[in-house]
């Protein structure tokens, strides 16, 4: 710059995250009541990182203390985060809008300026330079309308006469090439160290050999050496090419009082993509005339700093009526990760398909609890759980939706308790619990119970019909038969997860036998590889055989894979008709899709820490999904179901399995017993 001029500083700008207002509302309602005492808070800022956008001092939810501790949250939030330099502040939250407007803003600003002045004279500002940027916030929270009135102040001590600017240019123009390289390296090291990343004021010392070092401002005396260049650096939130940022104001006041310097060379440190950007950073020289009386601690300078809004000194108002309700806020937070996926990792992610999906979970035990939570994480909002069991004392440790309270007084129904738990985890979930037993083959129905069982069958039919995807998560084989049949009849997405002690099976069922599948070979269901009909698997069993005894880590793995299968189906161009693909197979047509291959079956073993993908085609003799069985159900309805339940061999007779087993048992090998066979012709196996 050609001639001296008054330094014009770019004022700090504020930004408040919605989470801050939510935490403040919770504090007000649950802790503070009508107590309007000032609250210590913490703001965060970082160096400018864009040539056209300044960084703001930001308030987040963690800027406020938790409800259990109304002290300052600074200690909990600081710790070397390069993008969050903590700055102490104070909040005055009033009880009425009249009190807000009646606050003595001049006195409040003066009180905060005095704290900065005291810190400069006591030396605290040298030890903890962040106090130079302390700020003030006044607010009124209208919790009926979810409206918040607020006003920031960033107190700045007024130099009188003001500092004059001798020179200001891009840092890349000020430093030599060697100096620029060394300064960049030194600043990057400072910013990458957890000990100094969030220390916003520092010294840059360049020796005669163009070697730069960055030091704490308390080390000023050690930098005094002939031939050294010394710059006072600070994290500059401002992007403007001709104006240093607001933090420099109080930094100059500290320099003039502490070291009595008349000329100050300063570095407005700015970044690009996390690294020092000397083309954006500025180097300037300011002349300071120490005002009379500044040596006297009792002489408090004037202060300015109330934030302007559109060039006027007025408060601001924000209405969060639509987003401030906790349920709405929970929805926004829950969707954040999914929306971030669409930025880069998965642009084709169909959030509408996920949020509109209606999922029916048959079984609310170890698998059902995990699957429900995974579905919510993927954005599924409509979940129905079916189970007729009660929560036992042994359940909460492995079944993540239950607690000890659910076990008391005989235990709450799992379906009911699970829905309550889901609502506590995510209030926006549309969850329903259905307490009912699933009719099963091999469990004969007494005549007096037949009407109740038929009602359960009709109810299950209606549930399957009203949902888009069905998860079979029960702990017996026969309990999966009727749901498999109903899903094959209505061509529903069906996913099975089954556990052994240290192994699991997760599979998607193929489309129904009467669906239009472009003449593709149908994938099999859970029963397609069986040669016998499902029967009672619980009778005459010891306790360890009656309970699902598995390694604890198995269920979360299988549940996660089951949900991922559903997401894969929804994002595959052929949907339920997609062919089964094998991992690491060159013929996998979906390997180029964003979510990768879409397998038919996934079998895993914890004992081997292994996993494999398999494909199994549908069987014409399947007791659950074959065209023979589905046709019989369509023709005879509930009469067919009762016959299948009461007569275990009926399904085998219907599908031809009985004849198959007869032919297999009558088949005998005719051994050739010729005596002339030489022993030398035998091969030992």
């Amino acid at each position: 710059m050609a001639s001296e001029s008054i330094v014009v500083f770019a004022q700090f700008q504020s930004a408040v995250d919605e989470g801050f207002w939510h935490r403040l509302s919770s504090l007000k309602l649950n802790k503070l009541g009508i107590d309007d005492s000032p609250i210590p808070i913490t703001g965060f800022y970082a160096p400018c990182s864009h040539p056209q956008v300044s960084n703001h001092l930001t308030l987040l939810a963690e800027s406020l203390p938790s409800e259990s501790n109304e002290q300052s949250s600074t200690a909990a939030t600081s710790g070397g985060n390069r993008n969050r330099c903590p700055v102490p502040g104070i909040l005055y939250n009033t009880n009425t809008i009249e009190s807000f407007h009646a606050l003595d803003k001049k006195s409040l600003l003066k009180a905060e300026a005095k704290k900065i002045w005291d810190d400069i004279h006591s030396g605290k500002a040298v030890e903890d330079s962040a106090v130079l940027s302390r700020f003030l916030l006044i607010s009124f929270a209208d919790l009926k309308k979810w409206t918040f009135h607020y006003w920031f102040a960033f107190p700045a001590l007024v130099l009188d006469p003001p500092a004059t600017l001798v020179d200001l240019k891009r840092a890349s123009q000020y430093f030599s090439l060697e100096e620029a390289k060394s300064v960049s390296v030194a600043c990057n090291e400072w910013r990458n160290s957890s000990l100094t990343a969030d220390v916003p004021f520092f010294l840059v010392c360049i020796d005669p050999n163009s070697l730069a070092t960055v030091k704490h401002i308390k080390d000023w005396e050690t930098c005094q050496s002939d031939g050294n260049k010394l710059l006072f650096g600070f994290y500059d939130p401002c992007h403007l090419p001709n104006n240093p940022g607001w933090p420099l104001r109080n930094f100059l006041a500290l320099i003039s009082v502490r070291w009595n310097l008349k000329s100050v060379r300063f570095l407005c440190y700015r970044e690009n993509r996390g690294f020092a950007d000397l083309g954006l950073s500025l180097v300037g020289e300011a002349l300071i005339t120490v005002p009379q009386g500044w040596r006297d601690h009792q002489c408090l300078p004037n202060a300015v700093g109330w934030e302007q809004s559109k060039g006027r000194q007025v408060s601001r108002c924000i209405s969060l009526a639509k987003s401030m309700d906790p349920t709405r806020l929970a929805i926004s937070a829950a969707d954040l990760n999914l929306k971030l996926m669409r930025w880069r990792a998965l642009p084709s992610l169909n959030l509408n398909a996920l949020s509109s999906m209606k999922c029916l979970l048959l079984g609310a035990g170890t698998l059902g609890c995990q699957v429900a939570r995974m579905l919510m994480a993927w954005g599924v909002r409509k979940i129905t759980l079916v189970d007729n069991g009660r929560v036992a004392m042994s359940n909460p440790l492995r079944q993540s939706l239950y607690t000890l309270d659910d076990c008391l007084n005989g235990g709450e129904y799992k379906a009911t308790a699970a829905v309550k738990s889901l609502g506590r985890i995510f209030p926006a979930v549309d969850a329903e619990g259905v307490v009912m037993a699933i009719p099963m083959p091999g469990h004969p129905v007494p005549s007096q119970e037949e009407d109740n069982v038929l009602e359960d069958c009709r109810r299950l039919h209606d549930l399957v019909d009203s949902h888009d995807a069905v998860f079979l998560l029960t702990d017996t084989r026969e309990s999966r038969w009727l749901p498999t049949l109903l899903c094959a009849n209505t061509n529903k997405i069906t996913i099975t997860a089954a556990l052994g002690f240290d192994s699991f099976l997760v599979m998607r069922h193929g489309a129904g036998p009467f669906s239009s599948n472009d003449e593709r070979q149908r994938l099999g269901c859970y029963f397609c590889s069986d040669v016998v009909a499902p029967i009672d698997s619980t009778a005459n069993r010891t306790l360890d055989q009656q309970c699902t005894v598995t390694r604890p880590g198995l269920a979360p793995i299988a549940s996660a894979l089951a949900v991922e299968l559903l997401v894969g189906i929804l994002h595959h161009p052929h949907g339920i008709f997609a062919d089964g693909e094998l991992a690491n197979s060159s013929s996998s047509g979906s390997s180029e899709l964003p979510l990768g291959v879409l397998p038919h079956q996934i079998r895993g073993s914890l004992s081997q820490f292994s996993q494999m993908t398999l494909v199994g085609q549908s069987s014409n003799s399947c007791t659950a999904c074959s065209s023979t069985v589905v046709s019989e159900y369509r023709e005879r309805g509930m009469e067919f179901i009762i016959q299948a339940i009461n007569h275990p061999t009926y399904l085998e007779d219907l599908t031809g399995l009985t004849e198959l087993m007869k032919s297999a048992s009558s088949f005998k090998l005719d051994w050739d017993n010729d005596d002339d066979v030489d022993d030398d012709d035998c091969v030992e196996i």
Side-chain angles (χ1 to χ4, degrees):
M1 301 184 67
S3 60
E4 296 181 5
S5 60
I6 294 176
V7 182
V8 179
F9 305 90
Q11 192 177 35
F12 243 139
Q13 296 176 320
S14 65
V16 186
D17 184 79
E18 286 187 12
F20 175 87
W21 298 123
H22 179 62
R23 171 83 60 94
L24 177 60
S25 303
S26 181
L27 272 175
K28 182 71 176 173
L29 290 171
N30 302 323
K31 186 74 178 178
L32 300 177
I34 60 172
D35 183 1
D36 59 359
S37 303
I39 305 170
I41 58 176
T42 305
F44 303 96
Y45 86 102
C48 172
S49 57
H50 193 284
Q52 295 180 328
V53 180
S54 295
N55 269 345
H56 296 61
L57 184 132
T58 304
L59 296 186
L60 307 171
E62 53 264 45
S63 296
L64 282 161
S66 64
E67 292 183 20
S68 60
N69 175 23
E70 56 268 12
Q71 298 304 312
S72 174
S73 57
T74 305
T77 52
S78 62
N81 188 330
R82 58 178 292 119
N83 297 315
R84 288 190 185 183
C85 301
V87 179
I90 197 78
L91 167 65
Y92 291 85
N93 185 56
T94 61
N95 288 311
T96 66
I97 187 65
E98 292 80 7
S99 300
F100 172 79
H101 289 303
L103 285 172
D104 188 345
K105 301 172 186 61
K106 183 176 180 180
S107 296
L108 292 175
L109 182 67
K110 185 176 181 179
E112 293 308 303
K114 185 178 186 305
K115 293 178 183 177
I116 298 174
W117 184 245
D118 291 342
D119 290 339
I120 289 175
H121 278 272
S122 68
K124 181 179 179 181
V126 175
E127 297 294 328
D128 180 13
S129 58
V131 299
L132 291 173
S133 299
R134 68 168 67 245
F135 65 99
L136 164 70
L137 173 64
I138 60 174
S139 67
F140 165 67
D142 184 344
L143 301 184
K144 277 189 175 181
K145 300 178 181 178
W146 293 114
T147 301
F148 300 86
H149 301 261
Y150 67 100
W151 199 349
F152 278 85
F154 303 99
L157 303 174
V158 176
L159 289 168
D160 188 15
T164 56
L165 196 62
V166 177
D167 186 33
L168 184 68
K169 61 180 64 175
R170 304 280 186 186
S172 57
Q173 297 173 352
Y174 173 79
F175 296 119
S176 68
L177 290 178
E178 293 79 10
E179 289 174 343
K181 183 177 179 181
S182 185
V183 168
S184 294
V185 170
C187 288
N188 289 334
E189 289 178 353
W190 178 269
R191 289 282 287 150
N192 289 330
S193 169
S194 61
L195 299 176
T196 56
D198 57 2
V199 178
F201 298 91
F202 52 91
L203 299 173
V204 179
C205 185
I206 306 174
D207 68 16
N209 296 320
S210 300
L211 180 63
T213 55
V214 178
K215 299 184 177 181
H216 290 274
I217 59 176
K218 64 182 178 181
D219 297 326
W220 180 80
E221 284 79 7
T222 65
C223 298
Q224 304 307 304
S225 178
D226 292 338
N228 280 357
K229 288 183 180 178
L230 182 63
L231 294 90
F232 291 84
F234 70 100
Y235 295 166
D236 190 356
C238 173
H239 77 281
L240 299 176
N242 299 314
N243 303 91
W246 199 253
L248 181 59
R249 293 195 71 146
N250 290 335
F251 200 16
L252 291 178
L254 168 69
I255 294 168
S256 65
V257 171
R258 185 77 179 180
W259 296 296
N260 196 27
L261 297 182
K262 304 296 191 294
S263 175
V264 177
R265 180 74 63 177
F266 58 87
L267 168 66
C268 304
Y269 177 79
R270 301 170 182 178
E271 292 182 337
N272 185 18
R273 300 182 183 273
F275 295 95
D277 186 346
L278 298 188
L280 185 59
S281 300
L282 304 176
V283 171
E285 182 180 2
L287 299 180
I288 307 173
T289 301
V290 180
Q292 277 191 335
W294 270 44
R295 297 293 175 192
D296 182 5
H297 185 185
Q298 303 304 317
C299 179
L300 178 63
N302 292 328
V304 296
W306 285 104
E307 187 180 21
Q308 294 186 350
S309 178
K310 298 180 180 179
R312 300 167 54 213
Q313 284 203 340
V314 293
S315 62
R316 298 182 179 185
C317 179
I318 182 171
S319 175
L320 301 180
K322 293 183 179 179
S323 62
M324 200 57 214
D325 175 76
T327 300
R328 290 180 177 269
L329 198 59
I331 294 173
S332 176
D335 288 342
L336 177 62
N337 187 54
L338 296 173
K339 291 179 179 179
L340 291 179
M341 285 185 189
R342 296 203 300 184
W343 282 19
R344 296 185 185 183
L346 195 59
S348 59
L349 180 63
N350 190 339
L351 295 181
N352 290 332
L354 289 164
S355 63
S356 62
M357 176 67 45
K358 299 176 182 178
C359 291
L360 176 63
L361 278 56
L362 302 181
T366 308
L367 289 167
C369 290
Q370 296 286 354
V371 167
R373 298 195 67 151
M374 293 290 178
L375 287 172
M376 290 199 303
W378 265 112
V380 175
R381 298 292 176 255
K382 172 61 178 176
I383 299 172
T384 301
L385 296 108
V386 176
D387 201 301
N388 72 329
R390 294 182 180 270
V391 184
M393 286 291 183
S394 61
N395 293 154
L397 289 178
R398 296 184 182 222
Q399 301 179 12
S400 60
L401 294 180
Y402 309 127
T403 65
L404 179 64
D405 290 343
D406 299 318
C407 309
L408 304 179
N409 302 316
E412 190 169 0
Y413 280 112
K414 286 185 176 182
T416 305
V419 167
K420 292 179 181 177
S421 182
L422 291 175
R424 288 191 295 268
I425 294 168
F426 185 58
V429 68
D430 181 8
E432 179 184 0
V434 178
V435 179
M436 64 168 285
I438 298 175
M440 299 176 284
H443 296 251
V445 180
S447 57
Q448 63 270 23
E449 294 291 330
E450 190 170 300
D451 289 342
N452 292 335
V453 172
L454 288 175
E455 179 59 31
D456 286 340
C457 291
R458 296 187 186 96
R459 196 175 182 189
L460 184 60
H461 174 277
D462 293 342
L463 285 170
V464 170
D465 196 52
S466 61
H467 288 76
D468 305 306
V470 181
F471 286 83
L472 308 187
L473 310 169
T474 53
D475 52 8
T476 63
R477 191 173 190 81
E478 61 269 27
S479 61
R480 303 167 191 261
W481 175 79
L482 181 56
T484 299
L485 168 61
L486 296 176
C487 290
N489 179 55
T490 52
N491 199 37
K492 297 290 184 179
I493 295 174
T494 311
I495 295 173
T496 283
L499 306 178
F501 167 66
D502 58 6
S503 61
F504 66 84
L505 164 68
V506 177
M507 67 178 294
R508 58 186 176 99
H509 294 199
F514 300 112
S515 59
S516 60
N517 60 356
D518 301 328
E519 299 184 352
R520 284 189 176 91
Q521 174 65 49
R522 286 196 307 122
L523 294 176
C525 76
Y526 183 66
F527 296 93
C528 276
S529 59
D530 288 357
V531 292
V532 293
I535 59 174
D536 188 351
S537 63
T538 60
N540 195 27
R541 297 297 180 97
T542 61
L543 181 60
D544 64 316
Q545 293 172 322
Q546 294 176 33
C547 298
T548 306
V549 179
T550 67
R551 290 171 62 165
L554 208 62
I557 297 172
S559 302
L561 291 173
V563 175
E564 294 296 326
L565 266 187
L566 171 66
V567 178
I569 294 170
L570 294 179
H571 287 81
H572 195 284
H574 299 303
I576 192 175
F577 301 110
D579 293 332
E581 298 168 342
L582 301 177
N584 303 319
S585 172
S586 59
S587 61
S588 295
S590 296
S591 58
E592 301 300 322
L593 294 176
L595 288 173
V597 300
L598 181 60
H600 175 221
Q601 301 179 28
I602 307 167
R603 294 180 182 265
S605 168
L606 272 185
S607 63
Q608 299 293 324
F609 283 92
S610 64
Q611 186 173 295
M612 69 176 73
T613 54
L614 303 170
V615 176
Q617 304 301 342
S618 60
S619 168
N620 292 331
S621 300
C622 178
T623 59
C625 78
S626 65
S627 58
T628 303
V629 172
V630 175
S631 295
E632 194 72 9
Y633 169 69
R634 289 185 174 183
E635 290 178 12
R636 298 175 56 204
M638 293 302 148
E639 179 188 355
F640 163 73
I641 299 296
I642 290 296
Q643 187 172 358
I645 290 173
N646 288 334
H647 304 283
T649 61
Y650 168 65
L651 291 173
E652 296 175 2
D653 296 339
L654 177 66
T655 57
L657 286 177
T658 303
E659 289 299 320
L660 178 64
M661 294 301 293
K662 284 181 180 179
S663 61
S665 62
S666 64
F667 178 73
K668 296 180 180 179
L669 291 174
D670 293 327
W671 294 98
D672 189 351
N673 295 321
D674 291 342
D675 295 334
D676 58 349
V677 177
D678 193 289
D679 288 344
D680 292 339
D681 293 333
C682 295
V683 178
E684 183 176 348
I685 300 178

